[in-house]
């Protein structure tokens, strides 16, 4: 089965490299990258059974519309953007299955992509129609990822809590600390880890906040409430409980085992 990947940034590049390394017949579509099996012509996708759309989130709808001119009704198309509900508002003449790999780094671009990015990662699939998604599942599993199934709206609420809100907090923390020269001189690994997401791709960050701001606002209110509860009852037993739960959430390689 031939597979297409549109957009060869960190995610798309990693999908392309992993499938190539695994022996799949895969082609990439990119306006900036060149190389074996990489083209700019969408007509090269006509024979693909599965296509991953890995463009920036603000270009996904335009890309899906463009694909409608080239692919067959039997083609499975899956965008991998970090929000899912906004892509379900239109009808497409192909089998559309939104998904989202829960993997990434603070870096962007094809030069920072690598085949092992999805190893052990959760890959959310949000089918909203009765479609046979087994070919898509096969590819996702072949990249070492673990499929997780949910509804688009539930996905967007969850990522607001564990991805989008933490990014904003990291940005705000860095901004606040940067006003204190001594604090910046003393900052070590704790501050480094807490502010890693402040280096997130700015285009992606803008898209996430614009499209998911209501869920993010709700998460911030929940966090503010939880901070108040925690400080009001700050004690050794509660801290130990939190520490034990957190210590069991990831394996020695940093993969979520919850």
């Amino acid at each position: 089965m031939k597979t297409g990947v549109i957009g060869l940034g960190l995610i798309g590049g990693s999908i392309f490299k992993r499938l190539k390394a695994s022996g799949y017949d895969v082609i990439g579509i990119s306006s900036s990258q060149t190389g074996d099996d990489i083209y700019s012509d969408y007509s090269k996708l006509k024979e693909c059974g599965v296509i991953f759309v890995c463009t920036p989130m603000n270009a996904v709808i335009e890309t899906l519309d463009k694909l409608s001119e080239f692919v067959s009704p039997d083609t499975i198309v899956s965008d991998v953007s970090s929000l899912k509900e906004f892509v379900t508002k239109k009808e497409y003449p192909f089998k559309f299955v939104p998904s989202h790999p829960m993997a990434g780094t603070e870096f962007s671009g094809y030069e920072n992509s690598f085949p092992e990015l999805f190893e052990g990662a959760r890959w959310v699939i949000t089918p909203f129609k009765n479609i046979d998604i087994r070919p898509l599942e096969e590819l996702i599993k072949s990249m070492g990822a673990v499929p997780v199934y949910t509804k688009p709206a539930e996905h967007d609420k969850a990522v607001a809590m564990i991805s989008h809100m933490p990014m904003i907090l990291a940005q705000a923390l860095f901004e606040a600390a940067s006003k204190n020269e001594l604090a910046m001189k003393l900052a070590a690994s704790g501050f480094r880890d807490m502010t890693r997401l402040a280096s997130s791709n700015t285009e992606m960050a803008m898209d996430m906040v614009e499209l998911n701001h209501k869920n993010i606002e709700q998460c911030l209110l929940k966090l503010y409430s939880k901070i108040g509860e925690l400080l009001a009852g700050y004690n050794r037993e509660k801290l130990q409980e939190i520490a034990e739960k957190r210590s069991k959430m990831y394996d020695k390689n940093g993969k979520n085992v919850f």
Side-chain angles (χ1 to χ4, degrees):
M1 176 182 63
K2 182 175 287 189
T3 303
V5 183
I6 304 175
L8 299 181
L10 174 67
I11 299 298
S14 297
I15 293 174
F16 180 78
K17 291 175 181 178
R18 180 58 180 262
L19 293 180
K20 289 273 285 185
S22 300
Y24 283 89
D25 184 3
V26 57
I27 63 173
I29 300 294
S30 174
S31 60
S32 58
Q33 298 300 323
T34 59
D36 292 341
D37 298 315
I38 299 176
Y39 310 92
S40 59
D41 185 359
Y42 275 54
S43 67
K44 298 289 186 180
L45 299 168
K46 286 183 177 179
E47 297 179 3
C48 290
V50 176
I51 297 172
F52 292 98
V53 175
C54 308
T55 61
M57 196 149 44
N58 56 46
V60 168
I61 299 298
E62 178 184 352
T63 303
L64 293 173
D65 287 339
K66 187 173 182 179
L67 268 179
S68 300
E69 305 172 22
F70 297 96
V71 302
S72 78
D74 294 325
T75 303
I76 295 176
V77 177
S78 183
D79 83 296
V80 298
S81 55
S82 62
L83 286 168
K84 299 280 64 114
E85 193 171 21
F86 84 101
V87 294
T88 65
K89 305 301 184 183
K90 297 184 68 174
E91 294 285 336
Y92 297 101
F94 44 72
K95 296 178 179 179
F96 182 48
V97 185
S99 74
H100 178 207
M102 301 302 298
T105 71
E106 64 269 39
F107 305 108
S108 60
Y110 187 75
E111 65 276 11
N112 292 307
S113 63
F114 55 98
E116 300 80 18
L117 178 63
F118 310 108
E119 198 68 46
R122 309 292 170 87
W123 193 309
V124 185
I125 305 176
T126 62
F128 63 103
K129 292 185 177 181
N130 187 21
I131 294 173
D132 182 1
I133 62 174
R134 285 176 293 181
L136 177 63
E137 290 173 318
E138 176 191 324
L139 289 171
I140 288 172
K141 291 177 181 178
S142 77
M143 290 185 273
V146 180
V148 175
Y149 308 89
T150 189
K151 296 178 180 178
E154 294 305 309
H155 165 276
D156 291 358
K157 292 177 183 178
V159 296
M161 180 64 76
I162 52 89
S163 179
H164 303 174
M165 179 178 68
M167 178 192 70
I168 293 173
L169 292 175
Q171 293 163 341
L173 174 59
F174 185 84
E175 271 289 277
S178 66
K179 308 303 180 185
N180 186 317
E181 185 175 346
L182 178 59
M184 295 299 282
K185 286 182 178 180
L186 299 178
S189 59
F191 185 76
R192 178 198 65 206
D193 295 344
M194 283 289 291
T195 57
R196 181 180 68 84
L197 291 177
S199 299
S200 296
N201 178 278
T202 55
E203 183 177 20
M204 178 186 68
M206 292 291 293
D207 288 343
M208 289 192 303
V209 173
E210 179 180 351
L211 293 169
N212 207 28
H213 65 93
K214 290 184 179 179
N215 285 327
I216 295 171
E217 289 167 3
Q218 290 300 311
C219 290
L220 287 168
L221 289 173
K222 291 176 183 177
L223 177 64
Y224 182 78
S225 175
K226 183 56 64 175
I227 290 172
E229 292 177 14
L230 184 62
L231 290 176
Y234 209 68
N235 59 74
R236 188 180 301 275
E237 290 75 17
K238 182 61 178 177
L239 298 182
Q240 188 63 37
E241 177 188 344
I242 294 172
E244 289 178 0
K245 287 181 178 179
R246 173 60 177 78
S247 67
K248 296 176 181 178
M249 189 171 178
Y250 298 92
D251 64 18
K252 62 181 181 180
N253 297 315
K255 297 299 182 182
N256 187 339
V257 296
F258 185 80

